[in-house]
Amino acid sequence: MKNRITRITAALAAAALLAGCGSISSKDGGYYATEAAAQESYNYDSAAGGTDSSLMPANAAEAATDETAQKIIYNASLSMESTDFDAARETLMAAVEANDAWMESTSVYGTEKDHDRSADYTVRVPVDNYRAFLAAVGEAGSVRNVSENAENITSSYIDVQARLTALEAQRTRLNELADQAETTADLLEIESQLSDVQYQLENYTRQLRNMDQQVSYSTVDIYLQEVVTLTPTGVTFTERIADAFGGGWDAFVGFVQGLVIALVYLWPVVLIAVVVVFILRKVWKKRPKKEKLPKPAQTPPPAEYPVKPSDEPKPKY
């Protein structure tokens, strides 16, 4: 009995050691040495109006399907404006459909009446259509800026694959031990180990599937704003001064219009205020005036009498 328990325990320890060795071999293969490279990212700000990718190579689509290729996640963020919001939105939707992409989230703000609409879109695009999609988006309006990001997750991907391989080998060994178990206690112990291994397998499988989806589908965030006039690019100082004067006049006209609209909205309050002021003035005029009291008579100051010269002789010196 003791020998059988010892064999079962040794077999379980060997299975666990097998999984650990698989994980360590992944680390020795350069996981920690290249961990910084896996987290490395690149940011790019293109000139306004440009939508050509500066990060993704032309053969990125073929490389993404190659098992030995680098696993890179490409993301982009665009900010654009248009004087025709509806036409720009239709162009964006057409670009999504033409490139086999799908809309992950959509948010629209403002109203058509006030011409202040804006929208946030998050689009998932197949990596082989990433460059074509950016070019199609550029036709929707005036692109103000483009930011791209490339994240290399190759080492993390290899590490997860190695862990999955080791766990599958451990599961196979535990199944063999379960077939050889002679007591219920041994079988329960093995099933407990199998349950833990199965949980880890599902977790790593989910991680690997998520990585594959991020590599296969790029994420593009788009901000679209409705404007009256497009923001000029590459203008001179004189043109900027002229735009400032024009903008100041437009702001003044907008202020006056807003004031008039506010007064129209508040016309009942203004009318009541005018009536109250009119009544108060009428009441004030009808009040009796206070009679002015006569001023008291003023007594003349006492007369000054001339001082007579003294009759005493002046002393002689």
Side-chain angles (χ1 to χ4, degrees):
M1 182 68 179
K2 291 183 178 180
N3 292 334
R4 183 167 58 253
I5 295 175
T6 302
R7 289 197 303 270
I8 294 294
T9 304
L12 292 175
L17 182 61
L18 180 62
C21 290
S23 176
I24 293 173
S25 65
S26 172
K27 296 176 183 177
D28 293 340
Y31 174 72
Y32 288 108
T34 58
E35 185 175 6
Q39 301 299 328
E40 185 176 3
S41 62
Y42 306 89
N43 291 322
Y44 165 74
D45 292 328
S46 72
T51 53
D52 187 20
S53 174
S54 63
L55 291 182
M56 178 178 288
N59 62 343
E62 293 79 4
T65 58
D66 189 357
E67 294 182 358
T68 61
Q70 296 287 310
K71 301 297 180 180
I72 302 177
I73 300 174
Y74 292 97
N75 297 322
S77 177
L78 294 87
S79 177
M80 57 195 310
E81 57 186 18
S82 174
T83 56
D84 192 341
F85 186 83
D86 294 326
R89 184 166 54 183
E90 290 178 0
T91 303
L92 287 176
M93 297 300 106
V96 170
E97 183 177 358
N99 291 278
D100 297 328
W102 51 280
M103 196 73 66
E104 189 173 59
S105 65
T106 302
S107 300
V108 182
Y109 314 94
T111 59
E112 181 180 2
K113 178 181 178 181
D114 297 331
H115 301 286
D116 61 347
R117 287 174 292 177
S118 61
D120 289 315
Y121 301 105
T122 299
V123 185
R124 299 299 302 273
V125 186
V127 66
D128 52 347
N129 295 339
Y130 174 78
R131 296 169 65 93
F133 179 75
L134 290 184
V137 169
E139 303 296 330
S142 175
V143 179
R144 299 296 303 149
N145 57 71
V146 179
S147 175
E148 292 186 82
N149 176 275
E151 182 182 1
N152 192 332
I153 62 169
T154 305
S155 56
S156 299
Y157 193 91
I158 294 174
D159 179 71
V160 174
Q161 282 184 323
R163 291 176 185 272
L164 278 174
T165 302
L167 287 170
E168 288 173 353
Q170 185 180 5
R171 181 177 60 181
T172 302
R173 180 57 179 164
L174 289 173
N175 285 326
E176 294 175 354
L177 291 175
D179 294 337
Q180 301 173 4
E182 299 179 359
T183 63
T184 305
D186 294 341
L187 185 60
L188 291 176
E189 179 65 23
I190 295 173
E191 288 181 351
S192 176
Q193 292 284 341
L194 274 171
S195 177
D196 182 62
V197 169
Q198 185 63 33
Y199 173 78
Q200 295 184 54
L201 277 170
E202 292 176 357
N203 185 29
Y204 284 117
T205 301
R206 185 165 53 252
Q207 291 185 29
L208 200 66
R209 189 183 303 114
N210 185 41
M211 290 181 180
D212 286 331
Q213 187 181 33
Q214 289 181 333
V215 171
S216 301
Y217 286 86
S218 300
T219 302
V220 180
D221 295 318
I222 304 172
Y223 174 72
L224 174 62
Q225 183 180 13
E226 182 180 25
V227 294
V228 178
T229 56
L230 298 177
T231 302
T233 58
V235 296
T236 63
F237 179 74
T238 305
E239 292 174 341
R240 292 175 63 186
I241 292 293
D243 292 337
F245 275 110
W249 174 254
D250 292 339
F252 173 74
V253 172
F255 171 76
V256 173
Q257 291 177 351
L259 181 61
V260 172
I261 293 174
L263 292 176
V264 171
Y265 273 113
L266 298 175
W267 71 265
V269 179
V270 175
L271 180 61
I272 293 174
V274 171
V275 172
V276 170
V277 171
F278 179 77
I279 294 174
L280 290 177
R281 292 189 62 182
K282 287 291 185 181
V283 172
W284 184 265
K285 289 181 179 180
K286 291 182 178 181
R287 291 179 60 186
K289 297 182 179 180
K290 294 183 179 180
E291 296 182 358
K292 295 183 180 180
L293 298 176
K295 295 182 179 181
Q298 297 181 355
T299 57
E304 297 181 357
Y305 298 98
V307 179
K308 293 183 179 181
S310 177
D311 295 336
E312 296 181 357
K314 296 179 180 180
K316 295 181 180 179
Y317 298 97

